[in-house]
Amino acid sequence: MTHWMTDSTPPDDQSDLAVKPRSRTQRPPMYKVLLLNDDFTPMEFVVHVLERLFHMTHAQAIEIMLTVHRKGVAVVGVFSHEVAETKVAQVMELARRQQHPLQCTMEKE
Ligand code: TYC
């Protein structure tokens, strides 16, 4: 008996019946960054934050700011955990520096 015959892998005589192995690749979880409404933060400050930190055009920033103002909350972007955390921290820091009560949070998509 030759050595290769003791191998535990059976001869592949049914290659035409092969099934696709289940893919084990996974997407990393993504996180929504949410902006919350309040009664005190000036509209123009919120627009500035959206332009500066979320790279929105002036028109897009106004639209999202007004959505938050009317509905109470809006998603301003979807990012990896690390980027979402950084964005939230940057918004909170800009607001804190200007003493605005603006709140920004993140949640798993
Ligand atoms: N509601 C605020 C006002 O009337 C404006 C505002 C919009 C505040 C969006 C926060 O996330 C916010 N000045």
Side-chain angles (χ1 to χ4, degrees):
M1 192 182 281
T2 56
H3 177 70
W4 63 266
M5 290 183 74
T6 66
D7 193 287
S8 62
T9 308
D12 185 4
D13 58 354
Q14 300 189 3
S15 58
D16 58 328
L17 296 178
V19 291
K20 197 169 151 208
R22 260 180 88 197
S23 175
R24 254 154 253 168
T25 54
Q26 291 191 41
R27 292 172 215 284
M30 298 295 275
Y31 293 79
K32 296 183 284 194
V33 170
L34 307 170
L35 203 59
L36 308 184
N37 189 37
D38 66 74
D39 293 337
F40 305 103
T41 304
M43 289 184 172
E44 63 174 9
F45 177 79
V46 178
V47 170
H48 169 76
V49 165
L50 293 173
E51 289 172 345
R52 176 94 179 269
L53 299 179
F54 296 91
H55 312 292
M56 293 182 192
T57 65
H58 193 65
Q60 285 172 328
I62 289 172
E63 194 178 310
I64 298 291
M65 180 280 294
L66 286 175
T67 300
V68 179
H69 179 70
R70 292 187 191 119
K71 296 188 160 179
V73 62
V75 176
V76 298
V78 179
F79 307 98
S80 69
H81 188 272
E82 188 179 0
V83 173
E85 255 185 358
T86 302
K87 296 286 181 194
V88 170
Q90 288 172 333
V91 171
M92 297 301 283
E93 177 59 18
L94 278 185
R96 190 197 62 77
R97 272 202 257 158
Q98 307 291 321
Q99 300 188 295
H100 296 314
L102 182 63
Q103 294 294 305
C104 184
T105 61
M106 60 192 270
E107 69 177 37
K108 207 169 181 175
E109 227 190 352

